[in-house]
Amino acid sequence: MINVFIICNCNILLKLLGQHLSSFDDISVIEMLSHNEIKQADSMKRTGLGQKPDLILFASGSQWPDLKKKLLRVRKHSPDTPIIFLSSRAEPESMEFNIIKWGGRGFLSSTAPSGTLIKAVRACYAGEIWASRKFAGNMMDDLGEEKLFAGACKSGQEIPGQLTRQELKVIMLIASGFRNAEIGKKLFISENTVKTHINRLFKKINVKNRLQAALWAAKHLTSQKA
């Protein structure tokens, strides 16, 4: 059973999300709060955040100028719990990137098919990062334009993990949920070559699985982009 805690600044959307998620046999909504209530630490301790949910669904129905502060507040109270950010308005392209950078495990728009939310919940619960293909494509563009390399050189720092350009592309695709076969097709290399790159980069950054690699990428690579 996936125990989900929902936070939303729209009471109607909050109720609808709770009803929708609760309709699935493998998902249990253990608590729901409005965004005003998350300001109250005592309230958070009394509810689902104190019960250590398996996943937090963080939904936005309007613009939150202090979104980062709110998200980090939730992370402080539940640092190890995956957070999925659900946006119900048009967001700038940087929003998805920032949500992942601030510690979110997933990002999706409310305009996506209803089944996508359930897939995202199950994927993040299983340890994956849920991000759009566009997000992966933007990261690949950055790598292709050597922005990560330029940023590292400008700051006088080494590229994290001493990864090669191809290994950087592979790990960003892993972080975006691509499987080996998909990575091979995108990079025009064989699946066996993908496995070789993965084995090498795992050793370089000292991780044992795809989840750890994805979290490493979210922490070390997204911070390279200003």
Side-chain angles (χ1 to χ4, degrees):
M1 182 67 69
I2 307 174
N3 293 319
V4 179
F5 187 98
I6 305 176
I7 298 172
C8 180
N9 65 326
C10 173
N11 289 331
I12 294 176
L13 180 58
L14 183 66
K15 183 176 181 179
L16 291 174
L17 286 171
Q19 292 175 345
H20 179 58
L21 292 178
S22 297
S23 67
F24 293 86
D25 293 337
D26 60 335
I27 299 175
S28 174
V29 176
I30 60 175
E31 189 58 73
M32 300 187 293
L33 286 180
S34 70
H35 76 280
N36 288 326
E37 291 175 299
I38 68 173
K39 296 179 181 178
Q40 304 173 17
D42 290 341
S43 174
M44 295 174 73
K45 291 178 181 178
R46 290 197 303 266
T47 56
L49 289 178
Q51 299 174 30
K52 296 182 179 180
D54 296 316
L55 187 140
I56 297 171
L57 179 61
F58 198 95
S60 169
S62 61
Q63 186 175 3
W64 289 1
D66 56 346
L67 174 60
K68 180 179 180 180
K69 183 187 298 184
K70 295 177 185 293
L71 187 61
L72 294 180
R73 182 183 294 120
V74 176
R75 287 236 55 82
K76 179 180 179 180
H77 283 270
S78 193
D80 301 322
T81 304
I83 296 177
I84 295 178
F85 184 84
L86 175 64
S87 173
S88 59
R89 69 182 184 89
E91 303 283 1
E93 292 184 3
S94 61
M95 179 59 71
E96 180 176 18
F97 179 88
N98 285 329
I99 292 299
I100 301 298
K101 181 179 179 180
W102 297 336
R105 187 68 63 80
F107 181 96
L108 71 159
S109 170
S110 61
T111 60
S114 60
T116 301
L117 174 59
I118 305 306
K119 291 179 181 179
V121 167
R122 291 169 177 163
C124 290
Y125 175 70
E128 299 180 15
I129 290 181
W130 188 273
S132 68
R133 296 295 174 95
K134 185 176 182 179
F135 172 81
N138 289 339
M139 292 305 301
M140 295 296 290
D141 289 342
D142 283 345
L143 291 171
E145 297 169 10
E146 300 188 353
K147 291 181 180 177
L148 290 180
F149 292 88
C153 292
K154 185 176 181 180
S155 64
Q157 299 176 347
E158 298 291 337
I159 295 300
Q162 294 295 304
L163 301 179
T164 66
R165 181 183 302 157
Q166 192 79 324
E167 288 167 350
L168 283 169
K169 292 178 180 179
V170 170
I171 195 171
M172 289 310 302
L173 289 171
I174 288 175
S176 296
F178 288 82
R179 296 303 180 185
N180 290 357
E182 294 175 310
I183 294 174
K185 291 180 180 179
K186 191 168 184 65
L187 300 181
F188 302 102
I189 57 179
S190 70
E191 190 169 349
N192 285 333
T193 301
V194 173
K195 293 178 180 178
T196 298
H197 284 309
I198 291 176
N199 289 334
R200 289 177 179 172
L201 70 87
F202 275 17
K203 291 180 180 178
K204 287 184 178 182
I205 63 176
N206 192 30
V207 300
K208 297 180 180 180
N209 55 52
R210 300 174 80 92
L211 170 59
Q212 292 178 354
L215 295 177
W216 184 95
K219 179 180 180 180
H220 296 281
L221 297 184
T222 57
S223 62
Q224 296 289 316
K225 184 176 179 179

